[in-house]
Amino acid sequence: MKASVMKPIRVGLLGIGTVGGGTFNVLRRNQEEIRRRAGRAIEVVMVADLDTERAKQITGGSVEVVNDARRIVSDPSIDIVIELIGGDGIARELVMTAIANGKHVVTANKALLAKHGTEIFRAAEDKGVMVAFEAAVAGGIPIIKALREGLTANRIQWIAGIINGTTNFILSEMRDKGLDFDVVLKRAQALGYAEADPTFDIEGVDAAHKATIMSAIAFGVPVQFDKAYVEGITKLSATDIRYAEQLGYRIKLLGIARRVASGIELRVHPTLIPATRLIANVEGAMNAVVVNGDAVGATLYYGKGAGSEPTASAVIADLVDITRLATADPEHRVPYLAFQSNEMADTPILPMSEVTTSYYLRMRVADKPGVLADVTRLLADASISIDAMLQKEAGEGETQTDLIILTHETKEKHADAAIAAIEALPTVAGKVSRIRLEQLK
Ligand code: HSE
């Protein structure tokens, strides 16, 4: 049948906030081109939002607005449900009901998929419906498409991404202005860059949700958010950012998924990156992901990781995919997590103690003979090799100074042991500040 004569595909939208509003507007603005691409018109016919007045304003009275999302997921005339509610409470129930009712689902909900993806994809597979989630990782960047389709020839070695705009904005400001975390966070909130409750962003949880989803697609393992190592940026000091810069590095909150002989590293933490790498220069609220595949080498994806129309761009790409593929035999569609569901590997996600990385260590030491020798001996005892060192002259009248050491790669458990021993030295004051370092070669 010609595209122009096929019936429009009918979409129900759950939540018309920032992303939902963008989706509605972009769909309307570009409807003709989208129809020509999808082969059928895509029409939002029903919107559910608790704020029905705002929903009516956005939609201009052209679609039915309800305040009960359950009406949409149980309406037999709806083909695709877009879930933009977020979280894994009511959103989970609605997605599962939509699937049970035979509807395809588009979602931007990374928390939901990182935690309950296995259950959701199994239910969708049983029902023969699609669950698409491009918007869940890095907003407008088509990273899911790249990983799941564009790079299928490759054995993917590692992924490293700046996948949280809020924290990248804060880190950029800290470096630019030499300010501490708390000060910049307050400014970011005042400017609307950070949520009133920014916990998920600043503690690394949001990035870990996204890294978890990418790890599953890259390595053909189930989503396992509970096994991810998660460390945010709340303890980073402007001092460390400055020292890192003097040594030729930038500090970024990276989401890393890496295949090693014994398993998969899945981790989010502040990371030193050589300042010469492209990804080290991604500033402000932008996102970027480097994917390293054995055939293609390193590839970099850059763009807006959040916001109304950038995220809508990803949501609508999923709508078009579903519209194109809805009539295809489910077994011959692109698999939810890239690998066929009966071909999932049981490669373990490694505990953090088994992860291999390099370190930046900063300590406050007594400025007297033998201190440096003691510290380096403890590192040598743990078989940790030193890559670079920086010692500042003690300030006028001070008896202590900062000692900064960059190490070569070692296992986290060896670093833990060496750091504990260094902190026990009477000549070392307080805690060692430790930030992981990746060359991303
Ligand atoms: N809160 C996220 C960020 C955007 O700051 O990047 C949505 O994933």
Side-chain angles (χ1 to χ4, degrees):
M1 217 186 303
K2 279 230 173 92
S4 49
V5 292
M6 280 187 81
K7 276 202 319 199
I9 199 146
R10 292 170 61 84
V11 177
L13 181 56
L14 313 184
I16 191 157
T18 307
V19 178
T23 301
F24 189 84
N25 290 333
V26 175
L27 260 181
R28 192 168 45 186
R29 188 169 76 230
N30 298 342
Q31 60 181 315
E32 185 49 24
E33 288 215 21
I34 291 169
R35 182 192 63 75
R36 285 169 54 211
R37 290 192 171 112
R40 273 169 92 168
I42 298 173
E43 271 180 19
V44 174
V45 293
M46 227 171 155
V47 171
D49 201 290
L50 291 177
D51 190 342
T52 49
E53 277 318 303
R54 191 194 52 188
K56 280 179 191 152
Q57 263 172 21
I58 296 171
T59 56
S62 57
V63 305
E64 186 177 357
V65 172
V66 295
N67 67 3
D68 182 1
R70 279 169 296 206
R71 282 203 31 211
I72 293 186
V73 295
S74 58
D75 185 317
S77 78
I78 302 279
D79 303 305
I80 306 176
V81 169
I82 306 177
E83 183 273 308
L84 298 174
I85 293 170
D88 61 343
I90 182 76
R92 178 183 181 189
E93 186 190 317
L94 291 165
V95 164
M96 292 303 282
T97 310
I99 292 169
N101 288 338
K103 301 185 190 315
H104 304 291
V105 173
V106 174
T107 178
N109 192 334
K110 51 251 156 190
L112 178 67
L113 294 178
K115 285 159 79 180
H116 306 291
T118 302
E119 167 198 8
I120 290 168
F121 297 130
R122 190 177 300 131
E125 190 166 11
D126 287 349
K127 272 294 193 179
V129 296
M130 298 168 75
V131 174
F133 50 92
E134 185 63 73
V137 182
I141 305 174
I143 188 66
I144 301 297
K145 187 72 128 189
L147 283 171
R148 200 162 59 174
E149 299 178 50
L151 298 174
T152 39
N154 290 266
R155 191 170 157 82
I156 291 173
Q157 322 275 27
W158 54 263
I159 299 175
I162 296 172
I163 43 181
N164 183 271
T166 306
T167 45
N168 203 52
F169 173 82
I170 293 173
L171 292 179
S172 295
E173 288 284 295
M174 285 173 73
R175 188 178 75 83
D176 244 24
K177 311 209 161 91
L179 296 170
D180 264 319
F181 171 79
D182 299 327
V183 180
V184 179
L185 174 63
K186 283 206 185 79
R187 280 196 188 177
Q189 282 172 312
L191 289 168
Y193 285 111
E195 307 272 349
D197 178 4
T199 316
F200 265 32
D201 292 319
I202 62 180
E203 296 293 358
V205 178
D206 175 74
H209 288 147
K210 296 165 181 168
T212 299
I213 295 171
M214 291 197 289
S215 71
I217 295 175
F219 306 125
V221 296
V223 282
Q224 297 164 78
F225 172 68
D226 56 334
K227 304 226 174 88
Y229 174 81
V230 190
E231 181 184 318
I233 62 166
T234 51
K235 296 192 184 73
L236 260 188
S237 76
T239 312
D240 289 323
I241 292 177
R242 205 171 55 245
Y243 284 143
E245 195 153 24
Q246 288 171 17
L247 289 157
Y249 291 83
R250 298 269 167 89
I251 299 179
K252 294 290 181 188
L253 183 71
L254 285 191
I256 296 173
R258 185 159 72 136
R259 190 203 300 263
V260 294
S262 51
I264 291 164
E265 297 178 357
L266 176 56
R267 47 194 171 102
V268 170
H269 49 69
T271 313
L272 272 78
I273 313 170
T276 48
R277 301 271 179 275
L278 275 176
I279 193 170
N281 295 280
V282 170
E283 301 291 1
M286 300 304 280
N287 280 198
V289 183
V290 182
V291 182
N292 195 295
D294 66 341
V296 71
T299 55
L300 172 69
Y301 309 84
Y302 170 84
K304 290 188 178 148
S308 176
E309 294 205 354
T311 312
S313 165
V315 168
I316 295 170
D318 281 344
L319 286 178
V320 171
D321 265 357
I322 292 179
T323 305
R324 284 174 175 154
L325 293 173
T327 49
D329 163 5
E331 281 172 22
H332 294 97
R333 292 181 193 147
V334 180
Y336 307 102
L337 292 178
F339 290 73
Q340 300 295 336
S341 60
N342 58 352
E343 297 284 353
M344 290 299 219
D346 56 6
T347 319
I349 306 284
L350 297 173
M352 195 59 191
S353 56
E354 292 300 320
V355 158
T356 302
T357 182
S358 307
Y359 295 87
Y360 159 104
L361 306 173
R362 171 174 59 84
M363 58 209 81
R364 191 86 188 139
V365 298
D367 191 15
K368 59 183 202 187
V371 174
L372 187 58
D374 285 346
V375 170
T376 53
R377 180 181 44 78
L378 288 173
L379 289 170
D381 286 351
S383 300
I384 298 173
S385 167
I386 294 171
D387 181 33
M389 228 162 31
L390 181 69
Q391 193 195 324
K392 306 307 270 185
E393 268 178 82
E396 190 67 29
E398 281 184 352
T399 56
Q400 291 183 333
T401 184
D402 283 343
L403 172 63
I404 296 102
I405 294 176
L406 302 187
T407 77
H408 285 294
E409 282 190 340
T410 183
K411 283 225 167 118
E412 178 97 354
K413 62 182 172 195
H414 300 317
D416 287 345
I419 289 169
I422 290 170
E423 285 173 347
L425 287 172
T427 45
V428 172
K431 293 276 179 201
V432 174
S433 162
R434 165 237 307 253
I435 306 174
R436 295 164 192 94
L437 183 158
E438 296 287 340
Q439 293 294 340
L440 302 184
K441 277 198 183 127

